[in-house]
């Protein structure tokens, strides 16, 4: 995808480039990386292992005892989220999103742990990878969509 532009005067060009730079860093990059991460998140949710029946999870309660929580099937898929990394942690990148498993109210301290067990097959007869396969399957599509959003938004911003 290509586009042409015409600018009369260097001062006007300089103003447009400054405004475009700020917009790319603040809004356009966030939209592009967010769209790419959403594609991978949705694929991971679709691939996530769903237990055949409810199961129990035991966690320590912090007082030397254990708590038991009954978890409904599909909990891992419901806990997959997309998260934007704050500027202080992205080291020079304009925007960065990750796809991860969050802890939830259903199992306050266990969702990430259960997802790791499922992904790598710990305490299970076999692994059921869903995060890595989602990335491998949708990496190209996510990259294309992010690039498409970038080009479209830069064109819109340039025309302003």
């Amino acid at each position: 995808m290509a586009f042409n532009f015409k600018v009369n005067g260097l001062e006007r060009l300089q103003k447009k480039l400054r405004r475009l730079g700020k917009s790319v860093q603040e809004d356009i990059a966030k939209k592009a990386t967010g769209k790419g991460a959403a594609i991978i998140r949705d694929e991971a949710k679709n691939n996530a292992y769903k237990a055949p029946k409810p199961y129990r999870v035991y966690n320590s309660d912090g007082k030397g005892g254990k708590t038991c929580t009954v978890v409904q099937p599909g909990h891992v898929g419901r806990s997959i989220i997309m998260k934007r990394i704050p500027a202080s942690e992205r080291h020079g990148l304009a925007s960065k999103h990750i796809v991860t498993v969050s802890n939830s109210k259903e199992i306050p301290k266990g969702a990430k742990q259960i997802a790791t067990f499922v992904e790598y097959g710990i305490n299970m007869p076999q692994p059921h990878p869903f995060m890595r396969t989602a990335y491998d399957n949708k990496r190209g599509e996510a990259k294309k969509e992010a690039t498409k959003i970038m080009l479209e938004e830069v064109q819109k911003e340039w025309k302003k």
Side-chain angles (χ1 to χ4, degrees):
M1 179 183 262
F3 62 95
N4 298 321
F5 58 89
K6 183 178 178 181
V7 176
N8 295 326
L10 292 176
E11 197 172 299
R12 194 167 155 208
L13 174 62
Q14 190 176 23
K15 281 182 182 179
K16 274 194 164 199
L17 288 174
R18 273 195 209 116
R19 189 179 71 230
L20 184 62
K22 284 181 183 177
S23 180
V24 166
Q25 286 184 350
E26 294 170 5
D27 299 327
I28 298 173
K30 183 169 45 172
K31 282 182 186 177
T33 58
K35 183 64 174 178
I39 290 170
I40 293 172
R41 178 204 57 207
D42 294 343
E43 180 71 6
K45 282 185 175 193
N46 291 337
N47 291 346
Y49 175 74
K50 190 172 181 177
K53 59 184 180 177
Y55 56 95
R56 293 183 177 154
V57 174
Y58 297 94
N59 287 320
S60 65
D61 62 3
K63 300 173 187 171
K66 287 189 175 184
T67 61
C68 177
T69 307
V70 176
V71 181
Q72 298 302 315
H75 169 67
V76 172
R78 289 190 303 272
S79 299
I80 298 172
I81 61 164
M82 164 180 88
K83 178 180 170 184
R84 185 160 185 255
I85 303 298
S88 62
E89 296 176 24
R90 29 181 210 258
H91 308 296
L93 297 173
S95 181
K96 182 179 179 182
H97 282 79
I98 62 168
V99 176
T100 187
V101 178
S102 74
N103 282 326
S104 67
K105 292 179 182 177
E106 217 174 317
I107 312 174
K109 295 181 182 176
K112 286 183 180 183
Q113 186 178 14
I114 291 169
T116 302
F117 289 172
V118 170
E119 180 82 14
Y120 298 109
I122 301 167
N123 295 338
M124 296 180 76
Q126 68 182 41
H128 298 278
F130 59 96
M131 293 294 262
R132 184 64 199 197
T133 55
Y135 175 74
D136 289 342
N137 292 342
K138 295 294 183 169
R139 171 180 44 198
E141 185 181 329
K143 190 175 178 181
K144 282 180 189 174
E145 190 64 30
T147 304
K148 179 180 154 191
I149 298 271
M150 277 287 253
L151 286 173
E152 288 173 358
E153 293 296 322
V154 166
Q155 281 181 334
K156 284 181 194 174
E157 212 42 52
W158 185 262
K159 290 177 183 177
K160 287 184 182 178

